[in-house]
Amino acid sequence: MKKVLVVDDSLSVARQLERIINESGDLVCVGHAKNGAEAIKMNHSEDPDIICMDMNMPGMDGLTALRSLVVLDKTVKVVMVTSLGGVGDKFTEAIKLGAKNVISKPFEPDNVLNILRSL
Amino acid sequence: MAVKFFGQFLVEQGAVTSEALLHAIELQDRTNLKLGEMAVAMGYITADDIERAHTSQLSKDMKLGDLLVDLGILTPSQLQEVIDRQKATHLYIGEALVKVGALTPEKLESYLAAFKVDQAPYVADRIELPEWLANQHLWETTVDMSYKMITRVLGIQFRPGKCQEVSRLSTNHMVAAMDLSGDAAARYLLSVSAGLQKTIAKAILKEDNVDQEPPEVLEDTVMEFVNIVCGNVVAKASQSGLSLEINPPITIHPALNGLPVPDCYRALLFPIHVSDDQVMELALFIKQ
């Protein structure tokens, strides 16, 4: 089973993603971080295969955390989950920094699973 | 289900890999000249002129092209020629993907058609706004996107009321707000009654019953809805060349006499009639 860490300051988005992941049968959510700094700590303690991370969070935002994560951990795959996915510049910046994909909000559960399973 | 950038749609569909998209974007970066670079390439200005304009931009809130005209470096007709040349030579992401060999021209055509269908729900309808308002298209998009998301994401049927200017937002159970900055500055506010807060929570959490949910989760669902609307507005605005940023959403509990409009702002209210006992209002506090 692939381990997934969810990073989002929104309790409701984290709940949705956790449910989609845990009901998939082949993925398991290993935790929920509320900002980029917590994500870096939990990546170390939980050792996930995949991180699903919001871009726009108070404290350390998703793109700043992505910059650190790709340097600190060469194996973890990061997918950004954001309402800003349709902004060409934001999408491009995330991919250039090393994100494997960008999921736009509002998302469909099947779309999330297809992307996570393709990694 | 969201506003998308064509490259993102292609990666999502599995038509191209994110690596191929990156190559195409790099080709675009090398090919598509910025306004100043194009004016230099056309022999109208020098690199020193751009430097001078950039220094001047520190004290004047103007776009580079307008500033070059303001400083007498470019004439208005030369500026128009530069913009026309930029448009005529612009390499679009689809064409760039064909050039790097990631897509055939035939596949590009068929994916463009599919993209048009995917994005058709987000073509804006006309919203009546006051004449004094700047950036009419942006605010029209904002209100229209809100209406579409209320129907599609929340599943709420409503009748939109007529836009009115107000000096205060009436009190309500809660208000979720998000600040927009960049080429336009405003605060987006969604005011909801307790009943509608639960309706929003059910839709966002995909639960039939939210009676046991703590208040912070219920509030969070309204903030998340505002985040979804504003993020998609920023995406739509970027397609029209406007650059906007958003901050994380916040919750406000207005006092009994409501929420006053801050100095230097004008406020537009858009009533959203759901039922007699459930009140939802969209407001835009627009910086003047």
Side-chain angles (χ1 to χ4, degrees):
Chain A
M1 267 208 191
K2 280 187 184 167
K3 296 188 288 181
V4 185
L5 174 66
V6 170
V7 187
D8 204 307
D9 58 310
S10 162
L11 296 169
S12 47
V13 176
R15 279 252 301 260
Q16 284 180 74
L17 286 171
E18 280 175 24
R19 185 194 294 164
I20 292 168
I21 292 162
N22 288 334
E23 288 178 358
S24 69
D26 54 346
L27 302 165
V28 60
C29 179
V30 291
H32 165 214
K34 294 188 189 69
N35 58 46
E38 271 189 32
I40 292 168
K41 275 188 204 158
M42 290 185 74
N43 181 57
H44 186 68
S45 61
E46 306 300 328
D47 192 27
D49 301 293
I50 301 168
I51 297 180
C52 275
M53 184 157 62
D54 187 16
M55 264 191 204
N56 190 24
M57 295 179 286
M60 188 191 282
D61 68 23
L63 290 177
T64 307
L66 172 64
R67 272 191 200 96
S68 299
L69 282 163
V70 294
V71 173
L72 293 169
D73 186 342
K74 305 281 183 210
T75 58
V76 72
K77 295 179 169 74
V78 183
V79 175
M80 306 307 288
V81 184
T82 174
S83 63
L84 293 169
V87 183
D89 290 349
K90 294 279 182 198
F91 180 92
T92 305
E93 190 178 358
I95 297 288
K96 279 185 178 172
L97 287 174
K100 294 296 172 192
N101 214 325
V102 178
I103 299 170
S104 287
K105 292 179 187 174
F107 49 72
E108 299 289 350
D110 286 349
N111 186 30
V112 173
L113 286 178
N114 286 341
I115 287 173
L116 297 185
R117 284 174 174 145
S118 71
L119 298 174
Chain B
M1 206 174 172
V3 175
K4 286 171 198 154
F5 146 69
F6 185 48
Q8 177 191 17
F9 174 76
L10 291 171
V11 174
E12 196 179 282
Q13 295 289 309
V16 300
T17 62
S18 53
E19 288 78 12
L21 180 65
L22 203 49
H23 287 148
I25 289 168
E26 283 162 0
L27 177 63
Q28 273 189 307
D29 289 346
R30 291 195 299 275
T31 311
N32 294 335
L33 299 184
K34 291 179 182 158
L35 186 122
E37 294 167 339
M38 183 61 89
V40 172
M42 290 170 75
Y44 288 149
I45 63 170
T46 64
D48 286 347
D49 292 329
I50 298 181
E51 193 59 42
R52 217 174 102 209
H54 280 158
T55 307
S56 185
Q57 250 179 338
L58 297 174
S59 56
K60 282 187 176 173
D61 185 19
M62 290 172 84
K63 288 188 173 174
L64 181 67
D66 297 332
L67 198 55
L68 286 166
V69 172
D70 190 57
L71 293 170
I73 298 171
L74 271 184
T75 66
S77 66
Q78 283 174 329
L79 174 62
Q80 195 53 53
E81 276 181 53
V82 174
I83 293 169
D84 290 346
R85 178 74 67 88
Q86 264 191 311
K87 281 185 186 159
T89 58
H90 187 85
L91 181 68
Y92 290 93
I93 190 67
E95 297 166 329
L97 282 161
V98 172
K99 278 190 186 284
V100 300
L103 270 184
T104 62
E106 295 74 28
K107 286 252 181 206
L108 171 62
E109 282 302 314
S110 89
Y111 278 115
L112 272 172
F115 181 62
K116 221 173 185 176
V117 172
D118 185 78
Q119 295 294 288
Y122 297 102
V123 175
D125 291 331
R126 192 92 185 86
I127 307 281
E128 216 170 289
L129 295 172
E131 280 179 12
W132 55 261
L133 187 66
N135 293 310
Q136 292 256 340
H137 182 64
L138 169 65
W139 305 123
E140 201 172 328
T141 301
T142 305
V143 176
D144 182 63
M145 184 69 74
S146 306
Y147 291 165
K148 287 188 161 95
M149 292 288 186
I150 289 169
T151 307
R152 296 200 180 110
V153 177
L154 304 180
I156 295 175
Q157 299 303 316
F158 66 96
R159 181 174 54 80
K162 203 170 164 51
C163 166
Q164 49 194 279
E165 185 172 3
V166 293
S167 57
R168 177 175 289 276
L169 187 60
S170 306
T171 193
N172 207 345
H173 181 65
M174 74 163 282
V175 176
M178 191 164 216
D179 290 331
L180 296 145
S181 56
D183 287 341
R187 172 164 277 195
Y188 177 101
L189 304 103
L190 188 70
S191 152
V192 298
S193 60
L196 282 171
Q197 185 194 46
K198 284 191 176 177
T199 306
I200 294 173
K202 285 179 193 171
I204 295 289
L205 295 172
K206 297 189 171 54
E207 300 275 8
D208 295 332
N209 189 327
V210 292
D211 290 344
Q212 304 305 317
E213 295 292 349
E216 62 267 27
V217 170
L218 298 178
E219 285 178 359
D220 185 82
T221 58
V222 185
M223 288 195 289
E224 180 52 24
F225 177 69
V226 165
N227 176 40
I228 289 172
V229 174
C230 291
N232 281 275
V233 166
V234 172
K236 204 74 183 149
S238 73
Q239 294 170 358
S240 314
L242 282 180
S243 174
L244 296 172
E245 296 287 335
I246 50 175
N247 285 327
I250 56 167
T251 291
I252 301 168
H253 292 286
L256 278 177
N257 62 349
L259 192 64
V261 178
D263 291 343
C264 306
Y265 284 77
R266 286 179 83 169
L268 293 179
L269 181 76
F270 301 86
I272 296 168
H273 304 293
V274 180
S275 64
D276 288 345
D277 57 341
Q278 301 300 344
V279 181
M280 187 190 285
E281 287 177 326
L282 162 63
L284 295 171
F285 289 3
I286 299 166
K287 197 167 186 183
Q288 300 301 298

